[in-house]
Amino acid sequence: MEEVKTGFSNYIRPQVNLTDADGNSFNIMGICQSAARRRGVPKKEIDLFLKECMSQDYDHLLRTVMRYFDVS
C-alpha cells in the first residue's frame, strides 16, 4: 500500500485562500507554492508537492492541496 503524505514535514501547514482565486490549475499551484515559500518550506518539498499535483486530474490536484494546506 502506498504511503499518503499529509503535508510538508516539520512545517506548520501553510494557509491559502482559494475562495476568490482563478480556478485554473496552474494558478492554484502558484498560490500554494508562494504560501509554502513564505513558510520556509524547502524547494525540494515544494517540488514534490507540485509533482503530486500534476500526477493526475484536477480533482486529484484539489485533494492534494487540501492535504498539504489549510484551505479557505
Side-chain angles (χ1 to χ4, degrees):
M1 184 172 174
E2 183 179 332
E3 180 181 338
V4 176
K5 189 168 175 79
T6 57
F8 297 112
S9 62
N10 301 320
Y11 294 90
I12 296 171
R13 289 169 58 101
Q15 294 181 336
V16 292
N17 182 350
L18 300 179
T19 303
D20 296 325
D22 176 355
N24 177 287
S25 298
F26 292 106
N27 186 55
I28 291 171
M29 289 187 293
I31 291 168
C32 293
Q33 183 177 28
S34 295
R37 284 182 181 157
R38 284 192 301 274
R39 274 287 186 205
V41 177
K43 182 181 182 327
K44 181 179 178 181
E45 289 196 44
I46 295 171
D47 289 345
L48 290 172
F49 159 74
L50 294 172
K51 183 177 179 180
E52 176 65 22
C53 283
M54 294 185 285
S55 69
Q56 293 183 36
D57 62 7
Y58 185 77
D59 289 333
H60 178 76
L61 171 126
L62 295 177
R63 286 191 303 272
T64 302
V65 168
M66 288 187 284
R67 282 199 327 263
Y68 280 78
F69 294 86
D70 285 332
V71 180
S72 59

